[in-house]
Structures are given as C-alpha cells and as structure tokens.
Amino acid sequence: MDKTTAATGAYEARTAKHGIKIIIWSLAWAGSMIFADMAAAYQWFPSEWMTLLSIAANFGTGVGVVLAYMKFLKDQDELQRSIQLNALGLAVGVGLVGGFTYSLLVTTGYIVDEEVTDMILLILGTYMAGVAVGQIRYR
Amino acid sequence: MKNKLKVLRAERDWTQADLANELDVSRQTINAIEKGKFDPSLPLAFKAARLFEMAIEDIFTDVTGQ
C-alpha cells in the first residue's frame, strides 16, 4: 500500500472540512443574532422591514448551520453516525420531557423567570454529553 | 462478532490509520471493530473482504447464539 495515500487521511480531511463549514455558519448565525438583537434594542433601523430583514437573515444563516450539519452527518462513517444518532435521540428526548416539565414548573409558579435559552442549553448540553459518552464508549 | 482484522493488518505491517484510510472510515471505527465493540455493516465488511482478497466469513465470524 502506498504510504503517501495512507498519510492523506481522506476521511479525516473531509470531516475537518465539514467541521470548518459548521463553525463558519455557526459564527454567521450567532453574529446575525447578536446584530438583530442589538439593532432592535438600540433601534438602529429606521423602518420595520429592515428589522424583519435582519431576523430573516438570522433565520437564513440558521438554516445554513442545519444544512452544514446534515451534510456532516451524511459523510460520517457508520460508527460516528451511530454515536451521533444516539446523542441526538437523547437530546430530543431530554428536550421533549424537559420542556414539558419546565412548562409545568412555570405554570405552577416554581419557575418565575422563564427563559427559552434554558431549554436550548439543556438540549445542547445533553447532545454534547451524548457524543462524549459515545466517543469514550468506543475508544 | 469476532474478526481477524488485527492479524491481517499486522501481516501487511499496516497501522489502524492505514487500514482506516483504505476503507475510508475513521481510525476509531477500525479500533472499535478490532476490539469487538462495534460490528461493521455489510458494505464495510465486503469492502474489507475485497481489500484483503478474502471471503467475508474468513475475516468475520458471527458468534451470536453460540
């Protein structure tokens, strides 16, 4: 076997490319969110349609993140796809159950200052923990 | 499932990374298969068989139900 070919690490190179694309889209999404949020807070835009446009841009970059992530998943090998699937399933489950529990806690007054970001962080944290556990399990 | 990947790899003086590159998977996948922690899919098993020019059943042995 040609050692030069082996040194290329085609799979790793593709995974790294996908990772870079996800990071770029994520930064664009975060940046557009910060911009839209600050623009609304400090009333930068003279008209309402510009505010809506900034929100649409944020949504568009968010779609870019999702598509980049889906391409990443499609290109993963079977073990990595299995790890990702388990982590995503866990995150969705925790998000659903946690979301309804959170809603009940808000309704019953145990949580007063409800924040959407709480659920987002819970789902994201669960997903990351799921991936970490999967990677360790198959180490 | 048992397999002879490690032996076949050693016979050719390949690292796990070398084999992973040949099969277009991650090194972690090769490691997991060799340790019996993960069973390869049929396409991947066929790919390995073609690479080593052997029959699938000569590389992979199903031990479930034994």
Side-chain angles (χ1 to χ4, degrees):
Chain A
M1 184 186 60
D2 180 12
K3 286 290 181 181
T4 309
T5 310
T8 310
Y11 174 82
E12 280 77 16
R14 283 201 318 272
T15 301
K17 258 188 188 173
H18 284 299
I20 289 167
K21 284 180 183 173
I22 290 171
I23 288 170
I24 290 171
W25 276 108
S26 296
L27 286 173
W29 181 54
S32 67
M33 181 168 290
I34 292 168
F35 178 76
D37 194 49
M38 289 181 73
Y42 295 107
Q43 297 175 333
W44 289 348
F45 297 133
S47 60
E48 210 171 291
W49 73 264
M50 288 184 73
T51 302
L52 288 172
L53 193 64
S54 70
I55 295 171
N58 173 249
F59 178 76
T61 50
V63 169
V65 173
V66 171
L67 292 175
Y69 183 67
M70 284 174 68
K71 281 184 183 174
F72 160 76
L73 283 179
K74 264 188 187 174
D75 212 15
Q76 291 300 286
D77 71 14
E78 46 204 68
L79 173 61
Q80 293 303 325
R81 238 183 275 142
S82 172
I83 291 171
Q84 292 287 336
L85 184 67
N86 287 332
L88 286 168
L90 185 66
V92 168
V94 165
L96 277 172
V97 174
F100 281 111
T101 303
Y102 190 84
S103 176
L104 279 173
L105 288 170
V106 169
T107 306
T108 52
Y110 285 101
I111 291 177
V112 178
D113 251 337
E114 55 180 301
E115 289 278 352
V116 172
T117 48
D118 289 345
M119 287 312 306
I120 294 170
L121 287 172
L122 176 65
I123 293 168
L124 192 60
T126 305
Y127 166 73
M128 290 170 71
V131 170
V133 166
Q135 299 294 351
I136 290 167
R137 185 177 160 208
Y138 290 108
R139 196 173 42 180
Chain B
M1 194 182 294
K2 287 186 176 178
N3 65 82
K4 296 177 184 173
L5 279 186
K6 195 171 182 178
V7 171
L8 294 169
R9 188 169 56 78
E11 285 173 1
R12 290 154 180 79
D13 196 28
W14 290 353
T15 62
Q16 285 183 340
D18 294 337
L19 181 55
N21 198 44
E22 286 295 322
L23 297 177
D24 199 31
V25 295
S26 63
R27 189 206 59 80
Q28 186 182 18
T29 299
I30 297 300
N31 184 57
I33 294 172
E34 286 183 358
K35 287 184 174 178
K37 290 182 178 181
F38 182 73
D39 291 335
S41 66
L42 205 51
L44 183 56
F46 269 114
K47 218 173 175 180
R50 274 196 302 274
L51 177 68
F52 291 113
E53 293 176 343
M54 295 170 66
I56 281 189
E57 53 269 23
D58 290 337
I59 302 175
F60 300 98
T61 313
D62 184 20
V63 294
T64 54
Q66 288 185 0

